[in-house]
Amino acid sequence: MSHSAVRRLPSWAPVLLLVVALVLTGCAPDQYPQTTLLPRADYAREADDILRKTLLWATIVFVLVEGALLVAIWKFRDRPGAAEPVQTHGNTTLEIVWTIIPAFILAMIAVPTVRTIFKTAQKPGPDALQVEVIGHQWWWEFRYPQLGITTAGELRVPSGRTVSLEMTTADVLHSFWLPQFAGKRDVFPGRYNNLWFKAEVEGNFPAQCVEFCGVQHGRMAYRIVSLKPEEFDAWAANFNTPPKDFSADSTAAQLVKDGQGLFLTKGCVGCHSMYPALPLIGPNLHHVGSRSHIAAGTLPNTDENLAKWIQHPQAWKPGVLMPDLGLTDPEAQALVAYLRANQ
Ligand code: CUA
C-alpha cells in the first residue's frame, strides 16, 4: 500500500477493521460476559466485596499521595531568586503518623480478607448438590454422585441451591473457574480441591480452563448452565435413562440405526459412553444433543458442526486424543443422527 493510500483511509477504518476481525474470528460477545465483576452467586459476592473494599482504600491512598505530590511539586518548584525550602531530617511525629495510617489501612483490608478466606474455605453441608469435577486434556467432566449422572462440557446446576464441587484432574494441572459464581481453583493429580456456590440467577454462562495445560488449553472451555430447580430436576430425571437401542426399534429411521452401528464398529464406543453414569476416557455422550456447545466450547452444537467435528477432530483441535477416523460424509451424518436421537 502506498503512502497516499494510507493517508486516504478515514479515521474510523481501524475500528471497522477490528470489528470485522472479531466477527470473522467468531469472537462474538456472549450473552453473559466472562467476568468476575458481575457476581451472580453468594461466593462471588464475597470475593467482589473484598475487591470493592480494597479498591476503595487504594483509591483513597492514590488520591492523597498523588495529591500531596502535585502540591509539593507546585509549591516547592524552582523560581528565580527563590530560597532553598526548609530541609527536614527526622521528625518523630511524622514517622509515627505515616506508620499508623498504613497499618490502619492494611488492617481494614486484612481483617475482611482473612474472614472471607475462612468463610469460603468451609465445606457446605450434606444438603448441597455434590458435583465431582475432573479436568482432562482438554475438556471437563462433571459427575453427580447423588444423581448417578456423568456428563461433560456443561455444569448444570439448580439456582438457589448450594453446589459443592470436589475437583481433581485425570492428567496434568488445570484450573477450574466459575467467573460469575465463584473463584478459581487449580486441580492436581491425586488431590481434591473444593469450591462451592449458590447461583442467584438462571442462564448459560461461559467459562474456561485458566491454567496452561497443553496445546489446546485455549480450547478448554465449558458452560455453567443454571436452571430453575424444577427444570434441573426434570433434566436429571430425563437424563437418567439408559441409551435407546434403535436396532430393536421398528419406528427408528434407518439413518439413526446406521449411526448406532457405526458408533459400535468405528471405535467411538471405546472412549465414549452413552450410559448416563458411566465414565470412560472420552466425554460421556449421553444426551450430547442437548448441550449448547461441542468440542469443549469450540463449536456451537449444530448438526453441521457435529459432523465436521467427528470427521476432522485434528483439524479443529490439533493434538486432541480423538483420532481422525476417515469417516465419509454419509457416515458422519448417520452418527450425528444417532447422537441427536438419543435424548
Ligand atoms: Cu486445562 Cu488449561
Tab-separated table of all heavy atoms in Angstrom, residues 59-90:
chain	number	residue	atom	x	y	z
A	59	THR	N	-7.959	3.664	46.204
A	59	THR	CA	-8.308	4.939	45.571
A	59	THR	C	-8.031	6.095	46.525
A	59	THR	O	-7.468	7.126	46.119
A	59	THR	CB	-9.800	4.938	45.163
A	59	THR	OG1	-10.040	3.783	44.363
A	59	THR	CG2	-10.159	6.183	44.377
A	60	ILE	N	-8.387	5.915	47.798
A	60	ILE	CA	-8.128	6.968	48.790
A	60	ILE	C	-6.617	7.234	48.890
A	60	ILE	O	-6.157	8.384	48.840
A	60	ILE	CB	-8.706	6.563	50.170
A	60	ILE	CG1	-10.233	6.529	50.105
A	60	ILE	CG2	-8.243	7.531	51.258
A	60	ILE	CD1	-10.906	5.919	51.330
A	61	VAL	N	-5.841	6.153	48.976
A	61	VAL	CA	-4.375	6.297	49.068
A	61	VAL	C	-3.840	6.992	47.826
A	61	VAL	O	-3.026	7.924	47.903
A	61	VAL	CB	-3.707	4.909	49.258
A	61	VAL	CG1	-2.195	5.014	49.099
A	61	VAL	CG2	-4.063	4.332	50.622
A	62	PHE	N	-4.333	6.565	46.661
A	62	PHE	CA	-3.853	7.141	45.402
A	62	PHE	C	-4.115	8.645	45.368
A	62	PHE	O	-3.218	9.442	45.074
A	62	PHE	CB	-4.546	6.446	44.221
A	62	PHE	CG	-4.164	7.008	42.890
A	62	PHE	CD1	-2.983	6.610	42.266
A	62	PHE	CD2	-4.968	7.935	42.240
A	62	PHE	CE1	-2.623	7.124	41.036
A	62	PHE	CE2	-4.614	8.463	41.011
A	62	PHE	CZ	-3.440	8.052	40.403
A	63	VAL	N	-5.342	9.033	45.694
A	63	VAL	CA	-5.715	10.447	45.610
A	63	VAL	C	-4.880	11.270	46.599
A	63	VAL	O	-4.334	12.329	46.247
A	63	VAL	CB	-7.232	10.622	45.884
A	63	VAL	CG1	-7.578	12.091	46.080
A	63	VAL	CG2	-8.035	10.031	44.730
A	64	LEU	N	-4.733	10.771	47.850
A	64	LEU	CA	-3.977	11.532	48.851
A	64	LEU	C	-2.495	11.634	48.476
A	64	LEU	O	-1.910	12.725	48.540
A	64	LEU	CB	-4.127	10.871	50.232
A	64	LEU	CG	-5.524	10.971	50.852
A	64	LEU	CD1	-5.544	10.292	52.222
A	64	LEU	CD2	-5.956	12.434	50.993
A	65	VAL	N	-1.893	10.513	48.072
A	65	VAL	CA	-0.452	10.527	47.778
A	65	VAL	C	-0.169	11.346	46.522
A	65	VAL	O	0.720	12.214	46.520
A	65	VAL	CB	0.071	9.074	47.616
A	65	VAL	CG1	1.499	9.079	47.070
A	65	VAL	CG2	0.019	8.352	48.952
A	66	GLU	N	-0.939	11.098	45.459
A	66	GLU	CA	-0.692	11.856	44.226
A	66	GLU	C	-1.022	13.336	44.423
A	66	GLU	O	-0.353	14.210	43.876
A	66	GLU	CB	-1.517	11.270	43.069
A	66	GLU	CG	-1.142	9.837	42.693
A	66	GLU	CD	0.322	9.676	42.349
A	66	GLU	OE1	0.838	10.470	41.537
A	66	GLU	OE2	0.957	8.752	42.905
A	67	GLY	N	-2.061	13.608	45.228
A	67	GLY	CA	-2.419	14.999	45.516
A	67	GLY	C	-1.297	15.703	46.256
A	67	GLY	O	-0.895	16.816	45.888
A	68	ALA	N	-0.755	15.032	47.282
A	68	ALA	CA	0.356	15.623	48.046
A	68	ALA	C	1.569	15.847	47.143
A	68	ALA	O	2.266	16.867	47.245
A	68	ALA	CB	0.723	14.697	49.215
A	69	LEU	N	1.782	14.902	46.232
A	69	LEU	CA	2.914	15.018	45.308
A	69	LEU	C	2.744	16.251	44.420
A	69	LEU	O	3.670	17.059	44.257
A	69	LEU	CB	2.993	13.746	44.456
A	69	LEU	CG	4.159	13.662	43.472
A	69	LEU	CD1	5.485	13.588	44.210
A	69	LEU	CD2	4.002	12.452	42.569
A	70	LEU	N	1.533	16.429	43.867
A	70	LEU	CA	1.282	17.573	42.979
A	70	LEU	C	1.426	18.895	43.739
A	70	LEU	O	2.014	19.844	43.227
A	70	LEU	CB	-0.127	17.455	42.367
A	70	LEU	CG	-0.308	16.343	41.328
A	70	LEU	CD1	-1.759	16.263	40.878
A	70	LEU	CD2	0.602	16.570	40.118
A	71	VAL	N	0.894	18.934	44.969
A	71	VAL	CA	1.016	20.150	45.781
A	71	VAL	C	2.493	20.468	46.024
A	71	VAL	O	2.938	21.621	45.869
A	71	VAL	CB	0.257	19.971	47.127
A	71	VAL	CG1	0.647	21.074	48.110
A	71	VAL	CG2	-1.245	19.966	46.892
A	72	ALA	N	3.274	19.420	46.360
A	72	ALA	CA	4.704	19.642	46.642
A	72	ALA	C	5.438	20.127	45.398
A	72	ALA	O	6.262	21.036	45.465
A	72	ALA	CB	5.329	18.348	47.165
A	73	ILE	N	5.097	19.503	44.263
A	73	ILE	CA	5.774	19.902	43.015
A	73	ILE	C	5.478	21.369	42.711
A	73	ILE	O	6.358	22.137	42.327
A	73	ILE	CB	5.316	18.994	41.846
A	73	ILE	CG1	5.910	17.593	42.014
A	73	ILE	CG2	5.730	19.582	40.495
A	73	ILE	CD1	5.346	16.572	41.038
A	74	TRP	N	4.209	21.759	42.909
A	74	TRP	CA	3.814	23.137	42.590
A	74	TRP	C	4.376	24.134	43.609
A	74	TRP	O	5.002	25.127	43.263
A	74	TRP	CB	2.283	23.232	42.539
A	74	TRP	CG	1.784	24.623	42.325
A	74	TRP	CD1	1.235	25.452	43.247
A	74	TRP	CD2	1.819	25.370	41.104
A	74	TRP	NE1	0.910	26.662	42.690
A	74	TRP	CE2	1.269	26.647	41.363
A	74	TRP	CE3	2.295	25.096	39.808
A	74	TRP	CZ2	1.148	27.633	40.384
A	74	TRP	CZ3	2.169	26.086	38.834
A	74	TRP	CH2	1.608	27.326	39.121
A	75	LYS	N	4.196	23.804	44.882
A	75	LYS	CA	4.563	24.748	45.931
A	75	LYS	C	6.076	24.952	46.031
A	75	LYS	O	6.542	26.067	46.281
A	75	LYS	CB	4.018	24.225	47.266
A	75	LYS	CG	3.965	25.286	48.370
A	75	LYS	CD	3.226	24.778	49.581
A	75	LYS	CE	3.468	25.742	50.751
A	75	LYS	NZ	3.093	25.124	52.021
A	76	PHE	N	6.829	23.884	45.816
A	76	PHE	CA	8.286	23.991	46.014
A	76	PHE	C	9.044	23.991	44.689
A	76	PHE	O	10.203	23.623	44.632
A	76	PHE	CB	8.776	22.857	46.925
A	76	PHE	CG	8.108	22.868	48.273
A	76	PHE	CD1	7.178	21.896	48.619
A	76	PHE	CD2	8.386	23.880	49.185
A	76	PHE	CE1	6.554	21.923	49.855
A	76	PHE	CE2	7.761	23.907	50.431
A	76	PHE	CZ	6.836	22.930	50.768
A	77	ARG	N	8.336	24.390	43.610
A	77	ARG	CA	9.026	24.438	42.316
A	77	ARG	C	10.107	25.525	42.355
A	77	ARG	O	10.014	26.466	43.163
A	77	ARG	CB	8.023	24.701	41.186
A	77	ARG	CG	7.464	26.115	41.158
A	77	ARG	CD	6.288	26.189	40.195
A	77	ARG	NE	5.811	27.558	40.056
A	77	ARG	CZ	5.040	28.187	40.944
A	77	ARG	NH1	4.680	27.586	42.070
A	77	ARG	NH2	4.642	29.424	40.724
A	78	ASP	N	11.082	25.364	41.475
A	78	ASP	CA	12.192	26.321	41.464
A	78	ASP	C	11.741	27.614	40.791
A	78	ASP	O	11.124	27.577	39.737
A	78	ASP	CB	13.375	25.689	40.709
A	78	ASP	CG	14.629	26.504	40.925
A	78	ASP	OD1	14.684	27.227	41.949
A	78	ASP	OD2	15.540	26.401	40.083
A	79	ARG	N	12.008	28.713	41.447
A	79	ARG	CA	11.710	30.011	40.863
A	79	ARG	C	12.966	30.881	40.946
A	79	ARG	O	13.778	30.697	41.863
A	79	ARG	CB	10.555	30.687	41.616
A	79	ARG	CG	9.193	30.219	41.106
A	79	ARG	CD	8.089	30.604	42.060
A	79	ARG	NE	8.184	29.843	43.299
A	79	ARG	CZ	7.205	29.785	44.198
A	79	ARG	NH1	6.097	30.454	44.026
A	79	ARG	NH2	7.348	29.060	45.290
A	80	PRO	N	13.129	31.840	40.006
A	80	PRO	CA	14.340	32.673	40.055
A	80	PRO	C	14.417	33.418	41.385
A	80	PRO	O	13.421	34.006	41.826
A	80	PRO	CB	14.146	33.663	38.884
A	80	PRO	CG	13.048	33.096	38.041
A	80	PRO	CD	12.240	32.191	38.901
A	81	GLY	N	15.511	33.285	42.040
A	81	GLY	CA	15.731	34.000	43.295
A	81	GLY	C	15.121	33.365	44.510
A	81	GLY	O	15.248	33.904	45.611
A	82	ALA	N	14.419	32.211	44.329
A	82	ALA	CA	13.769	31.588	45.492
A	82	ALA	C	14.809	30.940	46.398
A	82	ALA	O	15.772	30.358	45.914
A	82	ALA	CB	12.764	30.537	45.036
A	83	ALA	N	14.560	31.016	47.694
A	83	ALA	CA	15.488	30.403	48.645
A	83	ALA	C	15.226	28.899	48.712
A	83	ALA	O	14.142	28.438	48.337
A	83	ALA	CB	15.302	31.022	50.019
A	84	GLU	N	16.193	28.131	49.169
A	84	GLU	CA	16.010	26.690	49.309
A	84	GLU	C	14.957	26.423	50.379
A	84	GLU	O	14.998	27.040	51.450
A	84	GLU	CB	17.337	26.045	49.707
A	84	GLU	CG	17.304	24.547	49.558
A	84	GLU	CD	18.604	23.899	50.059
A	84	GLU	OE1	19.273	24.494	50.939
A	84	GLU	OE2	18.916	22.816	49.578
A	85	PRO	N	13.974	25.527	50.135
A	85	PRO	CA	12.959	25.235	51.158
A	85	PRO	C	13.598	24.648	52.409
A	85	PRO	O	14.718	24.153	52.365
A	85	PRO	CB	12.049	24.200	50.494
A	85	PRO	CG	12.377	24.255	49.039
A	85	PRO	CD	13.774	24.747	48.924
A	86	VAL	N	12.861	24.661	53.501
A	86	VAL	CA	13.371	24.119	54.766
A	86	VAL	C	13.649	22.626	54.583
A	86	VAL	O	12.798	21.904	54.058
A	86	VAL	CB	12.336	24.325	55.893
A	86	VAL	CG1	12.875	23.787	57.220
A	86	VAL	CG2	11.972	25.799	56.008
A	87	GLN	N	14.812	22.155	54.983
A	87	GLN	CA	15.167	20.734	54.868
A	87	GLN	C	14.857	20.030	56.193
A	87	GLN	O	15.255	20.509	57.252
A	87	GLN	CB	16.651	20.581	54.531
A	87	GLN	CG	17.071	21.282	53.237
A	87	GLN	CD	16.392	20.693	52.001
A	87	GLN	OE1	16.508	19.511	51.735
A	87	GLN	NE2	15.659	21.529	51.266
A	88	THR	N	14.125	18.906	56.116
A	88	THR	CA	13.729	18.189	57.331
A	88	THR	C	14.465	16.859	57.419
A	88	THR	O	14.482	16.100	56.454
A	88	THR	CB	12.211	17.935	57.312
A	88	THR	OG1	11.563	19.172	57.075
A	88	THR	CG2	11.725	17.339	58.619
A	89	HIS	N	15.086	16.585	58.550
A	89	HIS	CA	15.735	15.287	58.775
A	89	HIS	C	15.250	14.734	60.093
A	89	HIS	O	15.540	15.284	61.142
A	89	HIS	CB	17.263	15.434	58.809
A	89	HIS	CG	17.841	15.842	57.504
A	89	HIS	ND1	17.973	14.984	56.442
A	89	HIS	CD2	18.287	17.049	57.074
A	89	HIS	CE1	18.490	15.630	55.410
A	89	HIS	NE2	18.690	16.894	55.768
A	90	GLY	N	14.467	13.653	60.048
A	90	GLY	CA	13.998	13.033	61.284
A	90	GLY	C	12.901	13.851	61.941
A	90	GLY	O	13.131	14.960	62.428
